[in-house]
Amino acid sequence: SFSNFAPSPLIYFGSGASPYSSISASLLNMAPNRWIRPEVYPLFVPVGMAIGLCAMQLVRNITTNPEVRVTKQNRAAGVLDNETEGEKYSQHFVRKFVRGKSPEIMPSVNGFFSNPN
């Protein structure tokens, strides 16, 4: 029967020790090796960049978007026809930087392979 193998609860819990203390300690020591393997480290970079990009966009929208009104005073103002604020938001510095550039990543390489001369 199992009564020969099962420990008495009074022995372990009465003395402050648990029958699973050695098992749980070994699982806690094994957890980092099991879940965070060295092959996974390169994935932290793109995931971190994606999280950072999302956070940057959220902060940008909350702070500078003319349609987002966070404070009660601004919400009470209603819909504003403020075109200069919208223009400032939509024509940010990245868009101004790439405005005159061609939409190619490497134009010299594209020109070399597309032009037969």
Side-chain angles (χ1 to χ4, degrees), residues 8 17 44 48 57 73-75 77 85 99 101 105:
S8 170
F44 288 142
Q57 188 64 26
Q73 181 182 8
N74 288 340
R75 286 194 307 266
E85 191 177 355
R99 184 175 289 146
K101 309 239 187 294
I105 296 174

Side-chain angles (χ1 to χ4, degrees), residues 77-98:
V79 178
L80 301 175
D81 292 329
N82 191 354
E83 293 182 19
T84 58
E85 191 177 355
E87 184 76 20
K88 181 180 155 189
Y89 176 76
S90 67
Q91 300 301 322
H92 49 83
F93 72 95
V94 175
R95 187 169 285 181
K96 288 178 183 176
F97 176 74
V98 298

